[in-house]
Amino acid sequence: MQQEPHLSPDTGAQPPVFTLMRPGPGDLTVALTGSWTLHGHPPDPTNLLAALDQTVRRLYFTSDGLTHWDTRLLIFLTAILDTAGQRQIVVDRAGLPPGVRRLLTLSEAVPEQVTYSPTGRELLATRVGRAVLALVEQGREVATFTGEILLAILALLAGKKPFKAQDFWYFIQNCGIGSLPIVSLIAALVGVILSFVGAVQLQMFGAQIYVANLVGLGMVLEMGALMSGVIIAGRIGASYAAQLGTMQVNEEIDALRTMGISPVGFLVLPRILALMLMLPLLCVYADIMGILGGSVIGVTMLDLSLVEFLEQARKSIQLSQFGQGILKASVFGVLIGFAGCLRGMQCGRSALAVGEATTSAVVTSIVLIVVSDSFITYLLYR
């Protein structure tokens, strides 16, 4: 049996040493002795790497003479194992200490993440192709998510209970009663702004009484539903994305699938239904607060009485216009719940992914609100 000792240049006691032994044809054994720590100087692995040639088929380790070790030994072994893997050499780690084997297994279980983009400019066709493929993949995910929601709704209509009743009432309370303070503040201030802008112009013609018409129609037709939707998108849509994203990180959604429970029916459906029911009520509340806020300007700047302002606003609003705002709010609720839950279900497995999902949920919700508002307004006008 051939022995080839390789010593460290460190002259201290128990220096790190590896010895190469060839017990048989195609076999190579590396005997590790001494103290392999960061305080010493490890031996040069050049001879060991050169010994891993085509004649070696199996690599073994022995550590009977190993006294101490830390990450210095792991760095040394990682370089050896990488070279052996590239040369298709079978490695037997049974001779290494149990702690070393566990750490090596742990380091290999997590793939390396590339946090930088390759240098160089891509061709325009390459970038367009990547964008198209990403768009197709997103479309497939949205279609799948929509289909799962429809199946959960059908199961609910068939008498099954895909979610708990107490969860549904909790979401009702969270997105309804919990949103009243911020909706009150924003709606009242929007009413004040509409009334002030209208008063500046209408006073020039002595038609300040029609400020009530402007505020009433503006809040009922557009601003009540629109501002409620934007507020709920930032408050509730982001919350849904963060909740479901955190559950993705903690593998709770995977656990639900393992138990045979549909995550869409159990987690997504009650959230969407709660928003669809509560946002129209918040819209009505925002309309009232906006008209009351506008009346402040009418009373203080235009010398109108409160009764006169409210009566003029009532006469200017028709039931069909009121229903148009309610319809928009219902659609906004579905879209906000859909966007927030979709981004949460698409979330990755890190804290950064949760933040990105939350931001994406708010942006997506607001874009969907504006687009759907324009479409519904044009459709109802036609």
Side-chain angles (χ1 to χ4, degrees), residues 142-154:
V142 171
T144 302
F145 187 69
T146 305
E148 292 178 349
I149 293 176
L150 293 177
L151 291 177
I153 293 176
L154 292 177

Side-chain angles (χ1 to χ4, degrees), residues 221-222 225-226 229-230 279 324-325 327-336 364-381:
L221 284 175
E222 288 293 338
L226 189 61
V230 172
L279 197 54
Q324 181 176 338
L327 174 62
K328 290 181 179 180
S330 300
V331 175
F332 295 166
V334 174
L335 294 177
I336 294 170
T364 304
S365 299
I366 294 177
V367 170
L368 290 177
I369 287 173
V370 175
V371 172
S372 62
D373 187 15
S374 303
F375 179 75
I376 294 174
T377 302
Y378 175 78
L379 185 64
L380 294 178
Y381 174 78

Side-chain angles (χ1 to χ4, degrees), residues 202-335:
L202 293 176
Q203 272 184 322
M204 299 172 59
F205 305 97
Q208 55 266 29
I209 186 62
Y210 293 105
V211 169
N213 299 56
L214 173 65
V215 175
L217 288 176
M219 292 301 301
V220 169
L221 284 175
E222 288 293 338
M223 299 308 297
L226 189 61
M227 295 310 301
S228 298
V230 172
I231 293 170
I232 294 301
R235 183 180 184 274
I236 304 299
S239 174
Y240 286 174
Q243 291 170 4
L244 297 181
T246 305
M247 295 180 72
Q248 283 279 21
V249 174
N250 296 334
E251 300 182 353
E252 297 176 37
I253 294 180
D254 295 336
L256 290 176
R257 290 194 178 99
T258 303
M259 292 185 294
I261 301 175
S262 171
V264 174
F266 189 75
L267 300 174
V268 174
L269 188 59
R271 288 173 164 84
I272 295 179
L273 292 179
L275 275 180
M276 184 181 67
L277 294 176
M278 293 308 299
L279 197 54
L281 299 180
L282 289 175
C283 175
V284 175
Y285 180 75
D287 293 342
I288 297 174
M289 295 302 300
I291 294 174
L292 291 178
S295 66
V296 174
I297 300 298
V299 172
T300 57
M301 290 184 56
L302 306 178
D303 296 329
L304 298 175
S305 66
L306 178 61
V307 176
E308 186 180 8
F309 185 94
L310 296 179
E311 181 64 17
Q312 184 67 22
R314 185 190 66 81
K315 291 179 179 180
S316 65
I317 300 173
Q318 299 179 4
L319 185 61
S320 60
Q321 297 168 336
F322 183 78
Q324 181 176 338
I326 299 299
L327 174 62
K328 290 181 179 180
S330 300
V331 175
F332 295 166
V334 174
L335 294 177

Side-chain angles (χ1 to χ4, degrees), residues 17-19 21 29-34 36 60-69 73 77 92-101:
V17 179
F18 70 85
T19 303
M21 300 178 292
T29 301
V30 181
L32 303 172
T33 58
W36 290 73
Y60 302 91
F61 293 95
T62 61
S63 57
D64 296 336
L66 188 64
T67 57
H68 301 87
W69 62 271
L73 177 60
L77 292 176
D92 186 354
R93 306 180 185 181
L96 294 173
V100 174
R101 296 200 302 268

Side-chain angles (χ1 to χ4, degrees), residues 19 44 53 74 79 133 138 162 180 194-195 281 289 311-312:
T19 303
D44 187 5
D53 52 19
L74 296 176
L133 291 177
Q138 291 181 2
L180 289 180
L194 287 177
S195 182
L281 299 180
M289 295 302 300
E311 181 64 17
Q312 184 67 22

